[in-house]
Short mmCIF file of all heavy atoms in Angstrom, two decimals:
data_model
loop_
_atom_site.label_atom_id
_atom_site.label_comp_id
_atom_site.label_asym_id
_atom_site.label_seq_id
_atom_site.Cartn_x
_atom_site.Cartn_y
_atom_site.Cartn_z
N TRP B 107 25.57 -33.75 -26.48
CA TRP B 107 25.82 -32.31 -26.49
C TRP B 107 24.59 -31.65 -25.89
O TRP B 107 23.47 -31.90 -26.34
CB TRP B 107 26.05 -31.79 -27.91
CG TRP B 107 27.26 -32.38 -28.55
CD1 TRP B 107 27.33 -33.51 -29.32
CD2 TRP B 107 28.60 -31.89 -28.46
NE1 TRP B 107 28.61 -33.75 -29.71
CE2 TRP B 107 29.43 -32.77 -29.21
CE3 TRP B 107 29.20 -30.80 -27.83
CZ2 TRP B 107 30.80 -32.58 -29.33
CZ3 TRP B 107 30.57 -30.62 -27.97
CH2 TRP B 107 31.35 -31.49 -28.70
N TRP B 108 24.80 -30.84 -24.87
CA TRP B 108 23.71 -30.17 -24.16
C TRP B 108 23.82 -28.70 -24.52
O TRP B 108 24.81 -28.04 -24.18
CB TRP B 108 23.87 -30.42 -22.67
CG TRP B 108 22.82 -29.86 -21.78
CD1 TRP B 108 22.91 -28.75 -21.01
CD2 TRP B 108 21.52 -30.41 -21.53
NE1 TRP B 108 21.76 -28.56 -20.29
CE2 TRP B 108 20.89 -29.58 -20.60
CE3 TRP B 108 20.83 -31.54 -22.02
CZ2 TRP B 108 19.60 -29.81 -20.13
CZ3 TRP B 108 19.55 -31.77 -21.55
CH2 TRP B 108 18.94 -30.92 -20.62
N ILE B 109 22.85 -28.19 -25.27
CA ILE B 109 22.97 -26.84 -25.83
C ILE B 109 21.89 -25.94 -25.24
O ILE B 109 20.70 -26.22 -25.35
CB ILE B 109 22.85 -26.89 -27.36
CG1 ILE B 109 23.92 -27.86 -27.94
CG2 ILE B 109 23.01 -25.50 -27.97
CD1 ILE B 109 23.87 -28.03 -29.45
N VAL B 110 22.33 -24.86 -24.61
CA VAL B 110 21.39 -23.92 -24.00
C VAL B 110 21.16 -22.77 -24.99
O VAL B 110 22.11 -22.15 -25.45
CB VAL B 110 21.92 -23.39 -22.66
CG1 VAL B 110 20.93 -22.41 -22.04
CG2 VAL B 110 22.16 -24.55 -21.70
N VAL B 111 19.89 -22.55 -25.30
CA VAL B 111 19.53 -21.54 -26.32
C VAL B 111 18.63 -20.48 -25.70
O VAL B 111 18.00 -20.70 -24.66
CB VAL B 111 18.81 -22.21 -27.52
CG1 VAL B 111 19.67 -23.33 -28.10
CG2 VAL B 111 17.44 -22.75 -27.13
N ASN B 112 18.57 -19.33 -26.35
CA ASN B 112 17.70 -18.25 -25.87
C ASN B 112 16.24 -18.61 -26.08
O ASN B 112 15.86 -19.15 -27.12
CB ASN B 112 18.02 -16.96 -26.61
CG ASN B 112 19.27 -16.30 -26.07
OD1 ASN B 112 19.32 -15.94 -24.90
ND2 ASN B 112 20.28 -16.18 -26.90
N ALA B 113 15.43 -18.24 -25.08
CA ALA B 113 14.00 -18.55 -25.11
C ALA B 113 13.34 -18.06 -26.39
O ALA B 113 12.59 -18.78 -27.04
CB ALA B 113 13.33 -17.90 -23.90
N SER B 114 13.67 -16.82 -26.76
CA SER B 114 12.97 -16.22 -27.90
C SER B 114 13.39 -16.84 -29.23
O SER B 114 12.71 -16.65 -30.24
CB SER B 114 13.20 -14.71 -27.92
OG SER B 114 14.55 -14.43 -27.67
N ASN B 115 14.51 -17.57 -29.24
CA ASN B 115 14.98 -18.16 -30.50
C ASN B 115 14.82 -19.67 -30.56
O ASN B 115 15.19 -20.28 -31.56
CB ASN B 115 16.47 -17.84 -30.70
CG ASN B 115 16.72 -16.35 -30.82
OD1 ASN B 115 15.87 -15.62 -31.36
ND2 ASN B 115 17.83 -15.87 -30.34
N LYS B 116 14.29 -20.26 -29.50
CA LYS B 116 14.32 -21.71 -29.39
C LYS B 116 13.67 -22.41 -30.58
O LYS B 116 14.25 -23.32 -31.17
CB LYS B 116 13.64 -22.15 -28.10
CG LYS B 116 13.80 -23.64 -27.83
CD LYS B 116 13.06 -24.09 -26.59
CE LYS B 116 11.61 -24.37 -26.92
NZ LYS B 116 10.87 -24.93 -25.77
N GLU B 117 12.47 -21.96 -30.96
CA GLU B 117 11.75 -22.65 -32.04
C GLU B 117 12.53 -22.54 -33.35
O GLU B 117 12.64 -23.49 -34.11
CB GLU B 117 10.33 -22.10 -32.19
CG GLU B 117 9.44 -22.32 -30.96
CD GLU B 117 9.41 -23.77 -30.45
OE1 GLU B 117 9.49 -24.71 -31.27
OE2 GLU B 117 9.34 -23.97 -29.21
N GLU B 118 13.09 -21.34 -33.58
CA GLU B 118 13.85 -21.15 -34.81
C GLU B 118 15.14 -21.99 -34.81
O GLU B 118 15.51 -22.59 -35.83
CB GLU B 118 14.18 -19.66 -34.99
CG GLU B 118 14.75 -19.36 -36.35
CD GLU B 118 14.85 -17.87 -36.66
OE1 GLU B 118 14.48 -17.05 -35.81
OE2 GLU B 118 15.30 -17.56 -37.78
N ASP B 119 15.79 -22.04 -33.66
CA ASP B 119 17.01 -22.86 -33.54
C ASP B 119 16.70 -24.32 -33.84
O ASP B 119 17.43 -24.99 -34.59
CB ASP B 119 17.57 -22.78 -32.11
CG ASP B 119 18.09 -21.40 -31.74
OD1 ASP B 119 18.22 -20.55 -32.63
OD2 ASP B 119 18.37 -21.19 -30.54
N LEU B 120 15.64 -24.82 -33.23
CA LEU B 120 15.28 -26.23 -33.40
C LEU B 120 14.95 -26.53 -34.87
O LEU B 120 15.39 -27.54 -35.41
CB LEU B 120 14.08 -26.59 -32.52
CG LEU B 120 14.40 -26.83 -31.04
CD1 LEU B 120 13.12 -26.80 -30.21
CD2 LEU B 120 15.12 -28.17 -30.85
N ALA B 121 14.20 -25.63 -35.49
CA ALA B 121 13.83 -25.82 -36.89
C ALA B 121 15.09 -25.78 -37.77
O ALA B 121 15.23 -26.58 -38.70
CB ALA B 121 12.84 -24.75 -37.32
N TRP B 122 15.99 -24.86 -37.45
CA TRP B 122 17.23 -24.72 -38.21
C TRP B 122 18.09 -25.99 -38.09
O TRP B 122 18.59 -26.53 -39.07
CB TRP B 122 18.00 -23.49 -37.70
CG TRP B 122 19.35 -23.30 -38.32
CD1 TRP B 122 20.55 -23.68 -37.79
CD2 TRP B 122 19.66 -22.70 -39.58
NE1 TRP B 122 21.58 -23.35 -38.63
CE2 TRP B 122 21.06 -22.75 -39.74
CE3 TRP B 122 18.88 -22.12 -40.60
CZ2 TRP B 122 21.71 -22.23 -40.86
CZ3 TRP B 122 19.54 -21.61 -41.72
CH2 TRP B 122 20.92 -21.66 -41.85
N MET B 123 18.22 -26.47 -36.85
CA MET B 123 19.03 -27.67 -36.62
C MET B 123 18.43 -28.88 -37.36
O MET B 123 19.14 -29.64 -38.01
CB MET B 123 19.11 -27.97 -35.12
CG MET B 123 19.93 -26.96 -34.34
SD MET B 123 19.91 -27.36 -32.56
CE MET B 123 20.66 -25.89 -31.88
N ALA B 124 17.10 -29.02 -37.27
CA ALA B 124 16.43 -30.15 -37.92
C ALA B 124 16.60 -30.06 -39.44
O ALA B 124 16.86 -31.07 -40.11
CB ALA B 124 14.96 -30.16 -37.54
N ALA B 125 16.51 -28.85 -39.98
CA ALA B 125 16.64 -28.67 -41.43
C ALA B 125 18.06 -29.01 -41.89
O ALA B 125 18.25 -29.63 -42.93
CB ALA B 125 16.28 -27.23 -41.81
N ARG B 126 19.07 -28.59 -41.09
CA ARG B 126 20.45 -28.91 -41.46
C ARG B 126 20.68 -30.43 -41.40
O ARG B 126 21.38 -31.00 -42.23
CB ARG B 126 21.45 -28.21 -40.53
CG ARG B 126 21.40 -26.68 -40.56
CD ARG B 126 21.87 -26.04 -41.85
NE ARG B 126 20.92 -26.10 -42.92
CZ ARG B 126 19.76 -25.42 -42.99
NH1 ARG B 126 19.39 -24.62 -42.01
NH2 ARG B 126 18.96 -25.54 -44.01
N ALA B 127 20.07 -31.08 -40.41
CA ALA B 127 20.23 -32.54 -40.29
C ALA B 127 19.60 -33.24 -41.48
O ALA B 127 20.17 -34.17 -42.05
CB ALA B 127 19.60 -33.02 -38.97
N ARG B 128 18.40 -32.77 -41.90
CA ARG B 128 17.72 -33.36 -43.06
C ARG B 128 18.52 -33.16 -44.33
O ARG B 128 18.76 -34.08 -45.09
CB ARG B 128 16.34 -32.69 -43.24
CG ARG B 128 15.21 -33.40 -42.51
CD ARG B 128 13.86 -32.97 -43.07
NE ARG B 128 13.69 -31.53 -43.15
CZ ARG B 128 13.32 -30.77 -42.11
NH1 ARG B 128 13.06 -31.32 -40.94
NH2 ARG B 128 13.20 -29.47 -42.26
#
Side-chain angles (χ1 to χ4, degrees):
Chain B
W107 297 91
W108 182 256
I109 304 178
V110 180
V111 305
N112 282 299
S114 44
N115 297 327
K116 188 184 84 175
E117 297 309 325
E118 191 169 0
D119 293 349
L120 281 165
W122 175 263
M123 291 178 190
R126 298 292 77 70
R128 269 198 309 278

